[in-house]
Amino acid sequence: MTNMDQVFRKTLHKLLEEKKLNELHEILNTINGSDLAALFEGMDRESLSVYFRLLPKERAAETFIEMEPDAQENLIESFSDQELSEIMNELFADDAADLVEEMPANVVERILSQSDPKLRQDINRLLKYPDHSAGSIMTTEYVDLSPTMTIDVAIAHIRNVGVDQETIYACYVTDHKKLVGIVSFRAILLAPSKLTQIGDIMDTHVIAALTTDDQEDVAHMMSRYNFLALPIVDSEKRMVGIVTFDDAMDVMEEEATEDMEIMGGMSPSEHTYLKSSPLELFKHRIGWLLFLMVSATFTGIIISKFEAALAAQLALVTFIPMLMDTGGNSGSQASVTIIRALSLHEVEPSDLPHILWKEFRTALLAGLSLAAICFAKIMIVDRILLHNPLVTPMVALVVCVTLIFTVMAAKLIGALLPVGAIKLGFDPAVMSSPLLTTIVDALALLIYFTIATAVLL
Amino acid sequence: MTNMDQVFRKTLHKLLEEKKLNELHEILNTINGSDLAALFEGMDRESLSVYFRLLPKERAAETFIEMEPDAQENLIESFSDQELSEIMNELFADDAADLVEEMPANVVERILSQSDPKLRQDINRLLKYPDHSAGSIMTTEYVDLSPTMTIDVAIAHIRNVGVDQETIYACYVTDHKKLVGIVSFRAILLAPSKLTQIGDIMDTHVIAALTTDDQEDVAHMMSRYNFLALPIVDSEKRMVGIVTFDDAMDVMEEEATEDMEIMGGMSPSEHTYLKSSPLELFKHRIGWLLFLMVSATFTGIIISKFEAALAAQLALVTFIPMLMDTGGNSGSQASVTIIRALSLHEVEPSDLPHILWKEFRTALLAGLSLAAICFAKIMIVDRILLHNPLVTPMVALVVCVTLIFTVMAAKLIGALLPVGAIKLGFDPAVMSSPLLTTIVDALALLIYFTIATAVLL
């Protein structure tokens, strides 16, 4: 909540106290639903329900759907049956279904009893689609035309049903429920004659998604084709709904956040950061931390096995953090790049040989330059500036050769893991930095001690 | 390029060889521009220009703009002046400006000479806006109404200019070039009477962005308000263009990719992965690798300073990787969460005290549970199963206490750095895993050896 919001809230409260309801009504009416929702955030139930009653029905619904679940529950409890029914029947089916999913059972019962039978049916249908599927984010309100309608009839039809549809700008032509064409409202408006039939101007090369398709793929398709809405069909090509661009934007944002969270070693969160309690944050984070901490037993074992070598050449310990970190960073550069390219469909798992060959050459360049600079750095900084007599040229050489092999191994494994994850049916983002680091650490140490034992002892 | 694409390309080539141009024309006509661009990818110039001549003008422009810059350059060289002029004048101003930015100087000259004077002027204007600004992604083609127009006149106007505008669904009402209202085509269509004036149905509470606003903020606003297009005004509130939802989607995808790349320790790439040469990848990656490798000198110095302690208690080395990694992972969990929340405006830099308090409690929970499990693990696995006599209960205690302090420090620093970056005007994504790891590594070692020296020696 910004400072300006706080000042504004005070102004509203003052108007309310002074019972200047007309003025209040006028002000509230000028604010967008998303902004109102932010403004109402955390307000007590009483003022909230007063403000809500001052909003026109449509704005009230728009604001309601943008609020956080706890505030929604609060509001529903303060609504009369009549008010709840009005709000519900202003909502689009997809928003109503999302609401039902968030609310506790007793509230859901009241919500459904106050919804129109048609809406109730749509909600129930939408709730049956699995999470993250196209079906779960689609809405059932769209403009449905028939191929034999003339432009005149179509415009009259759209004018008639338009108010209740999520968008009127993309119209769908169906024949016995099968999707046979798409026509934009622009094409209808610009049609040469009012007697032209929809069938003559519709585009029959329809791009559609299945209800079972992944929501990320749907959003990606819409971004690729610049679609305002994407029709969703069932397995028999019957049209069942549309996904609109605003929902696709939300999916894109949500999926990018989820990928980043997974790449950062967390399970995806349900709430925004400020709404999450420390206990919730802890639960989302502890899993990977624990798993990776216990996995580090392997690096511990490797070090124990080479304790004799370390005792003889204690200078070797000095470079363990640098080798591990450089390996980890090299690997995560490759894995982040590949994970993102996979999720944007810029590369496919079948490109693996191509990817590995590219990473191999990149890693060779990186490994050789890092090794050269590292050698110079050790000789100048560690030996001359820091006067560390234990760091002999031989030690420097061992470190630098280890660096080359570690960078190469890290980049290849970093590229391989995400592709492997897809082939095994996992989310490739899981194969990112934290897990990779543990694997690369163990490898780096093995390479280091093997070379050191061979050369120095 | 998928397998299906390859089969399809062969079919097209065969039709071309057999000179079945009508059939070819019909097939090409059914394919979306984005798909055609993917299909044409990497084709030789000759076949490419033949296929292009078979496309209707509008589809050709749509396809052209989706292609990669090198293919575009190739095509332009094969176009006659007439063909180039036709394609250019089919493009929207924002796409034309993007094209001009990508092409070498001699090609640009030809492009501009074949564009209409109005388009040339728009291109030149758009190119003046800084990269990543709203001005640089907006288009100048939008429907402009006046408040005194009646519905009838407005519809006639839209029908008249509609073909050339990027969207007709969001209309902007201006008065002496100042933006005074917004009206959706839906509202125009559903207006009660054809004689209603636009001024009476327009929404005067206009949400607009400035040409200088950041493109990421524009995309975020559009996603927040579910806008099909956002009007862009200059510093005097004069309307200069619109950003459409499809460009906002591209920005969201691009910015998420950029954040991930920076968080993975790379500079953002200009090309897709498969289009980037190993040398390019190397250049984007080597900077951070080098910087972080050299920074690791500090961890090296810390270890050297405590060499005596290490020599006396070699078992301490065993736990260095685990402590460093757990610290790094804890820190990057916090930093990834905060970086993403900042970029989605879920938290603001002013929330810092709130953030630190939340991370403190989360870290305490995580640190204590990790330490408890780590103690049990060391006692059971390292001492009993692996028979490591050097790992005494005292060593285990030192490791576990270090773990608590390291996790706490890592989470607090991980949350602090991105917020600090914003306050200093940097991209918070820079403060992610790689840089953080180096800082946390040094801290973890300092804590470890300080405790170890105090307790064990």
Side-chain angles (χ1 to χ4, degrees):
Chain A
M1 170 148 219
T2 64
N3 203 10
M4 234 186 65
D5 281 347
Q6 278 169 333
V7 174
F8 194 46
R9 257 169 85 153
K10 274 194 196 139
T11 318
L12 292 183
H13 277 314
K14 209 168 153 231
L15 287 174
L16 187 59
E17 268 171 29
E18 295 167 0
K19 298 236 185 295
K20 294 186 175 160
L21 296 188
N22 268 341
E23 258 179 76
L24 203 52
H25 178 259
E26 221 165 274
I27 294 180
L28 290 176
N29 221 336
T30 66
I31 309 173
N32 185 294
S34 308
D35 289 335
L36 278 178
L39 197 67
F40 290 165
E41 195 58 47
M43 251 187 207
D44 61 285
R45 187 196 288 199
E46 210 174 327
S47 353
L48 204 54
S49 65
V50 177
Y51 287 132
F52 250 83
R53 278 182 198 119
L54 290 170
L55 292 174
K57 258 193 320 186
E58 206 187 313
R59 182 65 48 95
E62 219 181 278
T63 307
F64 177 74
I65 209 61
E66 295 284 345
M67 301 187 73
E68 296 283 334
D70 45 350
Q72 288 175 332
E73 195 181 331
N74 237 318
L75 263 171
I76 291 176
E77 277 163 17
S78 78
F79 285 154
S80 70
D81 281 355
Q82 166 75 13
E83 283 168 334
L84 178 58
S85 163
E86 276 174 10
I87 294 266
M88 283 311 296
N89 295 317
E90 279 289 329
L91 297 182
F92 290 118
D94 55 341
D95 291 333
D98 289 345
L99 178 70
V100 164
E101 241 175 349
E102 294 279 0
M103 293 296 114
N106 58 327
V107 178
V108 167
E109 217 168 287
R110 221 184 126 215
I111 289 177
L112 289 179
S113 74
Q114 296 307 322
S115 303
D116 283 349
K118 163 85 174 71
L119 177 62
R120 203 156 55 223
Q121 198 186 334
D122 283 344
I123 293 175
N124 281 325
R125 189 142 43 107
L126 291 177
L127 289 180
K128 288 204 187 92
Y129 295 106
D131 261 4
H132 298 272
S133 70
S136 74
I137 57 164
M138 74 182 184
T139 185
T140 48
E141 286 107 342
Y142 57 90
V143 177
D144 194 0
L145 303 176
S146 92
T148 53
M149 277 181 177
T150 58
I151 297 292
D152 249 8
V153 174
I155 293 184
H157 176 72
I158 295 169
R159 205 191 289 264
N160 209 13
V161 302
V163 172
D164 291 328
Q165 307 313 320
E166 188 150 347
T167 181
I168 63 167
Y169 303 134
C171 303
Y172 301 91
V173 190
T174 56
D175 192 7
H176 294 91
K177 298 215 163 181
K178 301 244 159 146
L179 178 61
V180 295
I182 296 188
V183 59
S184 69
F185 191 82
R186 184 201 290 244
I188 295 177
L189 189 73
L190 300 179
S193 144
K194 302 205 165 189
L195 296 173
T196 311
Q197 285 198 341
I198 291 296
D200 294 331
I201 60 164
M202 72 184 185
D203 189 347
T204 54
H205 309 291
V206 180
I207 295 173
L210 286 170
T211 50
T212 47
D213 283 349
D214 190 86
Q215 60 173 6
E216 195 171 358
D217 294 335
V218 168
H220 187 71
M221 262 168 98
M222 293 179 68
S223 158
R224 171 179 176 140
Y225 296 120
N226 301 338
F227 280 170
L228 202 73
L230 184 72
I232 308 294
V233 297
D234 66 13
S235 54
E236 271 135 61
K237 280 201 138 194
R238 282 182 306 233
M239 170 115 188
V240 289
I242 57 171
V243 172
T244 49
F245 74 95
D246 50 317
D247 295 318
M249 280 181 158
D250 290 345
V251 167
M252 283 169 67
E253 213 166 81
E254 197 185 294
E255 295 279 348
T257 303
E258 209 178 290
D259 277 356
M260 289 183 198
E261 286 173 334
I262 297 176
M263 282 155 85
M266 289 169 281
S267 56
S269 58
E270 295 103 53
H271 298 123
T272 60
Y273 182 72
L274 291 181
K275 290 264 157 198
S276 306
S277 68
L279 190 67
E280 267 177 274
L281 291 177
F282 165 76
K283 281 184 192 160
H284 284 121
R285 296 177 181 181
I286 192 69
W288 271 109
L289 284 183
L290 257 180
F291 173 77
L292 296 168
M293 182 183 83
V294 174
S295 315
T297 308
F298 290 106
T299 49
I301 294 178
I302 293 171
I303 292 181
S304 313
K305 290 276 171 248
F306 289 93
E307 238 156 33
L310 279 180
Q313 286 281 351
L314 211 54
L316 290 176
V317 181
T318 319
F319 300 101
I320 288 180
M322 187 276 282
L323 287 171
M324 278 174 33
D325 284 348
T326 307
N329 290 332
S330 304
S332 76
Q333 287 181 334
S335 73
V336 167
T337 308
I338 301 300
I339 290 168
R340 185 61 179 163
L342 282 168
S343 113
L344 296 180
H345 294 275
E346 286 175 5
V347 302
E348 301 294 335
S350 60
D351 292 319
L352 186 60
H354 193 127
I355 294 172
L356 291 180
W357 173 227
K358 189 168 285 198
E359 288 301 327
F360 175 82
R361 287 174 294 163
T362 309
L364 197 62
L365 280 171
L368 289 175
S369 8
L370 286 174
I373 294 167
C374 184
F375 192 81
K377 190 224 93 173
I378 293 179
M379 298 309 283
I380 298 170
V381 178
D382 295 70
R383 272 182 71 84
I384 301 179
L385 295 179
L386 300 173
H387 311 289
N388 194 335
L390 293 177
V391 182
T392 60
M394 259 335 239
V395 168
L397 199 68
V398 168
V399 170
C400 294
V401 174
T402 304
L403 203 50
I404 298 173
F405 284 109
T406 302
V407 169
M408 309 242 349
K411 286 220 183 278
L412 290 176
I413 295 172
L416 188 65
L417 285 184
V419 178
I422 283 207
K423 291 203 172 169
L424 295 173
F426 292 121
D427 185 339
V430 170
M431 298 302 173
S432 176
S433 317
L435 184 59
L436 184 67
T437 304
T438 305
I439 297 175
V440 169
D441 281 356
L443 258 176
L445 290 175
L446 265 181
I447 296 173
Y448 190 35
F449 292 133
T450 308
I451 297 178
T453 319
V455 173
L456 298 175
L457 302 176
Chain B
M1 171 145 211
T2 62
N3 203 10
M4 235 185 65
D5 280 347
Q6 279 168 332
V7 174
F8 194 44
R9 257 169 86 153
K10 275 194 197 142
T11 318
L12 292 183
H13 278 313
K14 208 169 153 228
L15 287 174
L16 187 59
E17 268 171 31
E18 295 168 1
K19 299 238 186 294
K20 295 189 176 159
L21 297 187
N22 268 339
E23 257 178 75
L24 203 50
H25 178 259
E26 221 165 274
I27 294 179
L28 289 176
N29 221 337
T30 65
I31 309 173
N32 185 294
S34 309
D35 289 335
L36 278 179
L39 197 65
F40 290 166
E41 196 59 48
M43 252 186 209
D44 61 284
R45 188 196 285 199
E46 210 174 326
S47 351
L48 205 54
S49 65
V50 176
Y51 288 132
F52 251 83
R53 279 182 197 119
L54 288 170
L55 292 173
K57 258 193 319 187
E58 207 187 310
R59 182 63 49 92
E62 219 181 279
T63 307
F64 178 74
I65 208 61
E66 295 283 346
M67 299 187 73
E68 296 283 335
D70 45 349
Q72 288 175 331
E73 195 182 330
N74 236 320
L75 262 171
I76 292 177
E77 277 162 19
S78 77
F79 285 154
S80 69
D81 281 355
Q82 166 72 16
E83 284 168 333
L84 178 58
S85 162
E86 276 175 10
I87 294 266
M88 283 311 297
N89 296 317
E90 279 289 331
L91 296 182
F92 290 118
D94 55 341
D95 291 333
D98 289 346
L99 178 69
V100 164
E101 242 176 349
E102 294 279 1
M103 293 294 114
N106 59 327
V107 179
V108 168
E109 217 167 287
R110 218 182 129 219
I111 289 176
L112 289 179
S113 73
Q114 296 307 323
S115 302
D116 282 348
K118 164 84 174 70
L119 176 62
R120 203 155 55 223
Q121 198 187 333
D122 284 345
I123 293 175
N124 281 325
R125 189 142 44 104
L126 291 177
L127 289 180
K128 287 205 186 91
Y129 295 107
D131 260 5
H132 297 272
S133 70
S136 75
I137 57 163
M138 74 184 183
T139 186
T140 49
E141 286 106 343
Y142 56 89
V143 176
D144 195 1
L145 303 176
S146 92
T148 53
M149 276 180 179
T150 57
I151 297 293
D152 249 6
V153 174
I155 292 185
H157 176 72
I158 295 170
R159 204 191 289 263
N160 210 12
V161 303
V163 171
D164 291 328
Q165 307 312 319
E166 188 151 347
T167 181
I168 62 167
Y169 304 133
C171 303
Y172 301 91
V173 191
T174 56
D175 192 6
H176 293 90
K177 297 213 164 183
K178 302 244 161 151
L179 178 61
V180 295
I182 296 187
V183 58
S184 69
F185 191 84
R186 184 201 290 244
I188 295 177
L189 188 73
L190 300 179
S193 144
K194 301 205 164 188
L195 295 173
T196 311
Q197 286 198 338
I198 291 295
D200 294 330
I201 61 164
M202 72 184 186
D203 188 348
T204 54
H205 311 289
V206 179
I207 294 173
L210 287 170
T211 50
T212 48
D213 283 349
D214 191 86
Q215 62 173 6
E216 195 171 358
D217 293 336
V218 168
H220 188 71
M221 260 167 99
M222 293 179 67
S223 157
R224 172 180 174 139
Y225 295 121
N226 300 338
F227 281 170
L228 202 71
L230 185 73
I232 308 294
V233 296
D234 66 14
S235 54
E236 271 134 61
K237 280 202 140 193
R238 281 184 306 235
M239 170 112 188
V240 289
I242 56 170
V243 172
T244 48
F245 74 95
D246 50 318
D247 294 318
M249 279 181 160
D250 291 345
V251 167
M252 282 170 67
E253 213 166 79
E254 196 185 295
E255 295 279 349
T257 303
E258 209 178 292
D259 277 357
M260 287 183 199
E261 286 172 335
I262 297 175
M263 283 155 85
M266 289 169 279
S267 56
S269 58
E270 294 105 52
H271 298 124
T272 58
Y273 182 73
L274 291 181
K275 289 263 156 198
S276 307
S277 68
L279 191 66
E280 268 177 274
L281 291 177
F282 166 75
K283 283 184 191 159
H284 284 121
R285 296 177 182 182
I286 192 69
W288 272 110
L289 284 183
L290 256 181
F291 174 79
L292 296 169
M293 182 183 82
V294 174
S295 316
T297 308
F298 290 106
T299 49
I301 295 178
I302 294 170
I303 292 182
S304 311
K305 291 275 170 248
F306 290 92
E307 238 156 32
L310 279 180
Q313 286 281 352
L314 210 56
L316 291 176
V317 182
T318 318
F319 299 102
I320 288 180
M322 186 276 282
L323 287 171
M324 278 173 35
D325 283 348
T326 306
N329 289 332
S330 304
S332 76
Q333 288 181 334
S335 73
V336 167
T337 308
I338 301 300
I339 289 168
R340 185 62 180 163
L342 282 168
S343 113
L344 295 180
H345 294 273
E346 286 174 6
V347 303
E348 300 295 334
S350 59
D351 292 320
L352 185 60
H354 192 128
I355 294 172
L356 291 180
W357 174 227
K358 189 168 285 197
E359 288 300 327
F360 175 82
R361 288 174 295 164
T362 309
L364 197 63
L365 280 172
L368 289 175
S369 7
L370 286 175
I373 294 168
C374 185
F375 193 82
K377 190 225 93 171
I378 293 179
M379 298 310 283
I380 297 169
V381 177
D382 297 68
R383 272 179 72 84
I384 301 178
L385 294 180
L386 299 173
H387 311 290
N388 194 334
L390 294 177
V391 183
T392 60
M394 259 336 238
V395 168
L397 198 67
V398 168
V399 170
C400 294
V401 174
T402 304
L403 203 50
I404 298 174
F405 284 109
T406 302
V407 169
M408 309 239 355
K411 286 221 182 278
L412 290 176
I413 295 173
L416 188 65
L417 284 183
V419 178
I422 282 209
K423 291 203 171 166
L424 295 172
F426 292 120
D427 185 338
V430 170
M431 298 301 173
S432 178
S433 318
L435 183 60
L436 184 68
T437 303
T438 304
I439 298 175
V440 169
D441 280 355
L443 258 174
L445 290 174
L446 265 181
I447 297 173
Y448 189 35
F449 291 134
T450 309
I451 297 178
T453 319
V455 173
L456 297 177
L457 301 176

